[in-house]
Amino acid sequence: MFRQLSVVLAVLLAAGCATAGDEDGGDKGSSGTGPITFATGRDTTAYLQPLLDRWNQAHPAEKVTLLELPEAADEQRAQMVANLQARSTRYDVLGLDVVWTAEFAENGWIIPLERGLFPLDRFLPPVVDTAVYKGKLWAVPYTSNAGLLYYRSDLIKKPPRTWAELREQALQVTKKHSIEGYAGQFLAYEGLTVNFSEAVQSAGGQILNPDGTEVTLDPAKAKAALEFFIQGLREGWIPKESLSYKEEESRLAFQNGRLVFARNWPHAYGPAMAKLGGRFAVTRLPGPDGPGASTLGGVNLAVSAYSKHQQTAQEFIRYFTGLENERRVLSEGSFPPVWTELYDDPQLIKRFPYLPVLKQSILSAKPRPVSANYNQLSLVIASSVAKAITPPFSETPDDAAASMKTELEEIIRTQ
């Protein structure tokens, strides 16, 4: 099936090195075939290698080698950027956080892809949008993501829909049981940007406009989001230890029985089931007045502009994002697939009863700004939020929101 695309791919890839801002591009990589590498975040569920083994058995001359990058998105990006800025050929296929598309395309680090080679019409529409920049497809959706609220169903009767209900239940349960209340990802990194963005969105606000050209942060919405975290930390139902949590730390804290509630991505479901069995469930994130709005996450697969085997890289992406592999992404890795039909599959719903909630969360999630300077924006947000929510709370929510807005506007003006 893949070999039939060889002629088409060769023509497409001849022009495949053009950047978003330079249609002519340059002679960076090669449209050849051969062994490739797949650089992506660390596999915490050990589901990736069997999928790679299937490819390698069928393609002995074009084997793929997994290059595991750090777990944290910020560290993954740093390693990729250093590699690509050096024009290294070490990486062929890149597993990109959905928010990096604009930056990597604008800098000419990845090549544009032909839409017709991939069944995008069968993918979740918001997910496809994350792979498009300036009207071109620069990557192929591989996994999606939306934040969910994990809760101990054996300790509470009904999951909270609002922040007030979350606070009340956390306080009640922590008094009765030897357990902490609620945690998200509150270390000063991309995870904190996501958690804060979700709180702002849930309060009805947004930090930037959709195309990332204007700061639209409402100080009142930002204050409400910050006060939600600060109140929890002051009252103790958000443990101070969570200020050092990334995704992995919060996952372990919940599955090991140390938390009543945890905000995390769907990949934490499988490990939690192995530890807690039927003693937990998931629901949508709460907001001030009802269900909140998650931040759209996920991983897209792109081809390095410096790869010497770009044809093989594209063929591998077609294979890896195919329907059956996407089914395994969910069933074996607990990651949200990008094929819409999998969310309506009765057998999968029986095994993963949260799928209808997850589908709703993804379709209602808000994307992060499309900006080539997103990393700078995220650093400002995370740093400002960390100052406000870290004891002794020396910076007020009003001051933190104001300084954040000023710094974001400066980045937007100079981009």
Side-chain angles (χ1 to χ4, degrees):
M1 176 178 69
F2 297 121
R3 294 302 180 191
Q4 295 173 350
L5 297 171
S6 296
V7 175
V8 175
L9 287 169
V11 174
L12 292 171
L13 291 168
C17 294
T19 72
D22 180 3
E23 291 295 328
D24 293 330
D27 185 18
K28 294 179 179 178
S30 167
S31 60
T33 63
I36 59 173
T37 59
F38 175 26
T40 191
R42 184 169 66 89
D43 177 16
T44 59
T45 59
Y47 84 101
L48 270 178
Q49 194 58 53
L51 302 187
L52 301 181
D53 290 342
R54 292 186 182 94
W55 166 272
N56 288 340
Q57 289 170 4
H59 303 81
E62 299 172 277
K63 288 187 175 181
V64 59
T65 299
L66 176 64
L67 300 179
E68 289 189 309
L69 303 181
E71 173 204 341
D74 295 24
E75 296 174 30
Q76 293 172 26
R77 177 192 167 279
Q79 288 196 20
M80 287 187 186
V81 169
N83 180 282
L84 294 165
Q85 287 179 333
R87 297 175 178 260
S88 169
T89 61
R90 177 169 171 74
Y91 298 159
D92 295 289
V93 176
L94 304 170
L96 304 182
D97 187 299
V98 294
V99 79
W100 300 339
T101 302
E103 177 189 10
F104 279 58
E106 191 67 43
N107 284 289
W109 296 333
I110 55 179
I111 65 172
L113 306 176
E114 173 58 43
R115 288 174 179 260
L117 297 179
F118 309 96
L120 302 179
D121 59 331
R122 298 176 69 178
F123 292 1
L124 294 162
V127 177
V128 176
D129 292 343
T130 67
V132 176
Y133 179 62
K134 292 187 176 180
K136 292 183 178 180
L137 182 74
W138 293 91
V140 181
Y142 171 57
T143 63
S144 186
N145 241 347
L148 296 171
L149 181 69
Y150 288 71
Y151 67 95
R152 287 288 298 272
S153 55
D154 60 333
L155 300 180
I156 62 172
K157 295 180 180 180
K158 186 178 181 181
R161 290 170 50 85
T162 67
W163 290 345
E165 291 175 359
L166 174 64
R167 170 184 176 272
E168 180 181 1
Q169 292 181 6
L171 287 171
Q172 289 177 350
V173 175
T174 54
K175 287 180 181 179
K176 294 180 181 179
H177 304 273
S178 179
I179 193 170
E180 300 283 2
Y182 169 80
Q185 293 74 50
F186 300 143
L187 183 70
Y189 78 116
E190 173 66 13
L192 182 56
T193 297
V194 168
N195 279 245
F196 175 71
S197 298
E198 289 174 337
V200 171
Q201 291 159 187
S202 298
Q206 62 182 61
I207 299 175
L208 274 71
N209 65 345
D211 60 5
T213 59
E214 180 184 357
V215 179
T216 56
L217 183 65
D218 182 339
K221 307 296 186 186
K223 181 179 179 180
L226 292 171
E227 287 181 338
F228 166 61
F229 298 129
I230 292 170
Q231 181 184 37
L233 287 159
R234 283 188 184 276
E235 296 178 344
W237 52 270
I238 295 180
K240 289 183 174 59
E241 181 185 358
S242 66
L243 292 172
S244 66
Y245 281 4
K246 296 184 288 187
E247 283 87 350
E248 191 71 354
E249 289 83 359
S250 54
R251 176 182 73 82
L252 291 171
F254 181 79
Q255 74 182 44
N256 291 337
R258 302 203 307 270
L259 290 170
V260 184
F261 301 104
R263 179 264 175 225
N264 215 325
W265 303 105
H267 81 274
Y269 188 91
M273 180 62 72
K275 286 280 190 174
L276 296 173
R279 293 183 290 153
F280 82 101
V282 295
T283 189
R284 293 179 63 182
L285 296 175
D289 305 308
S294 173
T295 291
L296 188 64
V299 173
N300 297 334
L301 303 185
V303 177
S304 168
Y306 308 105
S307 167
K308 296 301 182 184
H309 300 139
Q310 292 176 355
Q311 180 175 325
T312 297
Q314 286 210 54
E315 291 182 357
F316 172 76
I317 291 175
R318 278 177 55 86
Y319 156 79
F320 220 55
T321 58
L323 180 59
E324 289 311 307
N325 275 337
E326 285 289 305
R327 186 182 299 273
R328 295 186 183 101
V329 163
L330 173 62
S331 63
E332 298 172 21
S334 289
F335 289 98
V338 298
W339 286 67
T340 304
E341 63 198 73
L342 294 177
Y343 289 84
D344 304 317
D345 185 309
Q347 292 185 339
L348 289 176
I349 292 174
K350 184 177 181 180
R351 182 175 175 185
F352 302 97
Y354 65 87
L355 281 180
V357 172
L358 176 57
K359 181 181 179 181
Q360 188 178 18
S361 296
I362 292 174
L363 293 177
S364 62
K366 306 294 184 183
R368 283 165 281 180
V370 177
S371 172
N373 292 325
Y374 176 80
N375 190 58
Q376 290 179 270
L377 300 173
S378 178
L379 289 172
V380 166
I381 294 169
S383 176
S384 299
V385 174
K387 290 176 184 177
I389 69 172
T390 301
F393 312 109
S394 55
E395 188 165 8
T396 68
D398 288 315
D399 290 343
S403 62
M404 181 193 304
K405 187 171 185 179
T406 298
E407 290 186 63
L408 293 176
E409 288 173 339
E410 179 63 26
I411 294 173
I412 296 299
R413 278 196 298 271
T414 58
Q415 70 179 4

